[in-house]
Amino acid sequence: MRHLVSGAAGFIGSHLCDRLLADGGEVVGLDNLITGSERNIEHLESKAKFSFRKFDVTKPIAEPGKFDHVWHLASLASPKFYLAYPIETLESGSTGTRNMLEIARRDGARFLVTSTSECYGDPLEHPQVETYWGNVNPVGLRSCYDESKRYSEAVTMAYHRTHGVRTNIARIFNTYGPRMALDDGRVVPAFLDQALRSQPLTVFGDGSQTRSFCYVSDMVEGLVRLANSEERLPVNLGNPVELTILEFAERIQRLMGIKAPIVHQPLPSDDPKRRQPNIAKAKKVLGWEPKVNLEDGLRETVAYFKSRLTPA
Ligand code: UDP
């Protein structure tokens, strides 16, 4: 199998490259490195079956085929970065998705796009099931991310229905693990970075908003299973164990044995109040559910963050 992976130097993208290579595939990775890092793939440099190009997939892609599988993961997934780069975010979800779909159409390849739980916006249904259409503010600060991902789902379905491309749509819920950037801004790296530096943990708002955290190896397994399935409509992938952000901060304190205080900062606008995936569809269609519990996943992530903070 020959794979084209956008966002290959990103957090989930680099783990997906590892997995596809471990399964015997050949991988061509693309990334414009706006949020990805070559450090995430430096261990792949010597592998004959891996090649990397610094490339922005919002530009027409001339990558010679033939590919069997096209994976579009390129995206600015952290609120900190998509708020800083709203136009690039809109472009990677819209033009980027279309350009990657064109390669799949050209080569008769399978296509998988990573969409997001943000398609549900600040959800009025809980937990979120794939048939819920969401509650998205189309002109709010997060709309650059939410609406471009909703467009990416729409254009993917259109290529499937119009051109018969064999497509899959993964709606990814909060995912964490090694290779997240320390300055990523999302809550897992933010709290771990703060705890390791003995800084206060910054809880936004009163911390009553909830999230559910999925470890990256579970996510990659879900993506691979989805890509090999016959399911064309979106499938939620995430860990259904729901926590308030305040509880999450307290877990980090306990896990790391620290007394770092919690400080409250203003809640960002349109920050979803509750988020938890309903994964009944993934269980039924893919036989998939997360295996790594939060403590084990966080231990691996802390070890990674420590190694990044301590110069070798
Ligand atoms: N959050 C927080 N402190 C931080 C970073 C994030 O309290 O330093 C909160 C944020 O307001 C949100 C949740 O943690 O309610 C998850 O935020 P994240 O940026 O990880 O991703 P989101 O789920 O909002 O896309």
Side-chain angles (χ1 to χ4, degrees), residues 286-304:
L286 313 178
W288 174 88
E289 63 183 314
K291 301 252 181 304
V292 180
N293 70 37
L294 190 60
E295 270 65 30
D296 291 342
L298 283 175
R299 250 179 236 112
E300 293 291 325
T301 313
V302 169
Y304 170 78

Side-chain angles (χ1 to χ4, degrees), residues 10 29 35 37 54 60 78 87 93 101 103-104 115 130 135 165-166 185 198 202 205 210 222 247-248 274 280 304 310:
T35 56
S37 165
K54 181 171 185 278
S78 163
I87 296 170
L101 277 162
I103 298 292
S115 182
E130 290 87 346
N135 178 41
V165 179
R166 192 182 186 285
S198 306
T202 54
T210 67
E247 284 166 346
F248 182 60
R274 295 186 75 186
Y304 170 78
T310 322

Side-chain angles (χ1 to χ4, degrees), residues 79 142 174 185-187 190 202-204 209 211 245 271 275:
R142 296 173 88 109
N174 295 66
R186 280 178 284 188
V187 70
T202 54
V203 169
F204 297 164
Q209 70 273 32
R211 294 294 187 273
I245 292 301
D271 196 293
R275 184 184 289 157

Side-chain angles (χ1 to χ4, degrees), residues 238-283:
N239 192 315
V241 177
E242 184 186 10
L243 288 173
T244 70
I245 292 301
L246 196 56
E247 284 166 346
F248 182 60
E250 289 160 0
R251 290 267 191 118
I252 299 275
Q253 288 177 321
R254 275 204 303 280
L255 178 81
M256 299 184 67
I258 53 154
K259 296 214 167 36
I262 287 170
V263 292
H264 290 270
Q265 291 188 353
L267 190 66
S269 72
D270 295 330
D271 196 293
K273 283 180 268 312
R274 295 186 75 186
R275 184 184 289 157
Q276 180 192 29
N278 176 321
I279 60 164
K281 185 172 179 182
K283 278 187 188 165

Side-chain angles (χ1 to χ4, degrees), residues 17-28:
C17 291
D18 288 348
R19 168 65 185 267
L20 298 176
L21 290 162
D23 287 349
E26 183 184 336
V27 176
V28 176

Side-chain angles (χ1 to χ4, degrees), residues 174-191:
N174 295 66
T175 301
Y176 71 99
R179 300 191 199 149
M180 292 186 101
L182 273 70
D183 67 346
D184 175 282
R186 280 178 284 188
V187 70
V188 176
F191 285 179

